[in-house]
Amino acid sequence: MEHQNEVTIALAGNPNTGKSTLFNLLTGLKQHTGNWPGKTVIHAEGFFQHKGVSYRMIDLPGTYSLFSNSADEEVARNYIIFEKPAVTLVVLDSTSLERNLNLALQVIEMTSNVIVCLNLMDEARKKGIRIDEQLLSKKLGVPVLKISARNKEGITELLDAINAMANGDIQTIPISVQYSKEIEEKVMKLEPKIKEIFHDEYPARWIALRLLDGDEGLINELKQRISAPNKRGLSHGSSLSIQI
């Protein structure tokens, strides 16, 4: 069921972070499941309203990264980068923050419309784990909120943040992860060539990093989108033959 003027939200996270618990809490029985087109990966979407706004939430497959190591990773990555949800929620396990932050940083490289949810805060408190969410938010450059989806803690604040970001009331300054001098120099050379092909449609720095990584899955996806008929004003006749 499609709703007019609905705001689309992507829900990303590692497996076992309580992502699906949050999805079920927000969407209740208003869910649809199936497979992603051409994949055997489960597609789940649900709907809810907050402050008069209709939201469509896509529960992306739980992944540890967003490269091309599996169909789950490709589905999650492609949705964020190509479908451009208004907001991407990254659900982290507060009891295992260091490991979970890797995915958050990858998402932040792809889009600036990110809210980080520190889930399982009830478990973190039991273990004596203290997290300064304001300091973490300052370092990441995006909102960071503490929640416990199973105890319904912090949900109203999360919904208000989603609403504010969707309305453009939250301006983020995402952290730019710096790599070695050699990689940064190659990124600088690639970015103008990528922008020449894709303009501002996709984040040039992120694509440059993936090309340097030899991400064949992404390269094939980009080639398909370049050859697609009049896809979002991309430079037709261009080819993704960039000398690295």
Side-chain angles (χ1 to χ4, degrees):
M1 179 171 58
E2 294 290 342
H3 296 195
Q4 289 186 339
N5 301 319
E6 63 195 6
V7 176
T8 302
I9 304 168
L11 192 58
N14 290 175
N16 304 316
T17 57
K19 183 169 67 67
S20 294
T21 303
L22 179 61
F23 176 72
N24 291 332
L25 175 64
L26 294 180
T27 63
L29 298 177
K30 297 177 181 177
Q31 299 181 9
H32 301 284
T33 58
N35 281 355
W36 289 86
K39 306 281 187 182
T40 56
V41 179
I42 297 295
H43 173 279
E45 65 179 27
F47 303 87
F48 66 92
Q49 290 196 337
H50 182 64
K51 293 187 174 179
V53 179
S54 296
Y55 291 93
R56 172 176 175 244
M57 175 170 274
I58 309 298
D59 187 13
L60 299 174
T63 62
Y64 293 103
S65 73
L66 294 170
F67 303 132
S68 295
N69 298 320
S70 69
D72 286 0
E73 291 185 10
E74 287 191 352
V75 163
R77 178 202 64 197
N78 287 354
Y79 190 82
I80 294 171
I81 203 73
F82 297 125
E83 301 305 322
K84 303 178 184 297
V87 180
T88 297
L89 299 183
V90 185
V91 181
L92 308 185
D93 178 352
S94 299
T95 68
S96 186
L97 196 55
E98 186 174 349
R99 183 184 67 180
N100 279 232
L101 275 172
N102 181 43
L103 182 71
L105 289 171
Q106 289 181 38
V107 174
I108 288 171
E109 282 189 322
M110 299 165 69
T111 171
S112 59
N113 295 333
V114 177
I115 296 175
V116 172
C117 304
L118 302 177
N119 194 25
L120 301 174
M121 280 306 304
D122 52 327
E123 288 295 324
R125 286 193 293 268
K126 289 178 183 176
K127 295 182 178 182
I129 298 172
R130 296 182 179 180
I131 301 173
D132 186 338
E133 76 274 24
Q134 293 184 353
L135 179 59
L136 184 58
S137 175
K138 186 177 180 180
K139 288 185 175 294
L140 295 178
V142 301
V144 176
L145 299 174
K146 293 178 177 177
I147 68 168
S148 172
R150 63 186 174 192
N151 292 331
K152 302 180 181 179
E153 294 178 11
I155 302 305
T156 300
E157 292 80 359
L158 173 60
L159 290 171
D160 287 346
I162 292 171
N163 190 267
M165 182 168 282
N167 287 333
D169 296 332
I170 294 178
Q171 300 301 317
T172 61
I173 309 175
I175 185 175
S176 178
V177 178
Q178 296 299 299
Y179 298 91
S180 69
K181 181 181 178 182
E182 180 185 6
I183 291 177
E184 291 293 340
E185 287 177 350
K186 289 182 177 179
V187 167
M188 286 184 64
K189 289 180 180 177
L190 283 173
E191 279 186 291
K193 299 173 183 177
I194 293 168
K195 287 183 178 178
E196 187 177 325
I197 298 173
F198 297 108
H199 310 294
D200 293 324
E201 184 68 16
Y202 308 126
R205 177 177 170 81
W206 179 80
I207 291 178
L209 288 166
R210 297 283 63 77
L211 292 177
L212 290 171
D213 216 23
D215 191 331
E216 291 292 337
L218 178 67
I219 291 171
N220 292 334
E221 184 71 30
L222 290 172
K223 286 179 177 176
Q224 290 178 18
R225 289 176 183 269
I226 289 173
S227 60
N230 199 24
K231 183 76 174 181
R232 290 179 175 175
L234 300 183
S235 297
H236 300 298
S238 301
S239 64
L240 196 67
S241 180
I242 298 174
Q243 189 69 37
I244 299 174

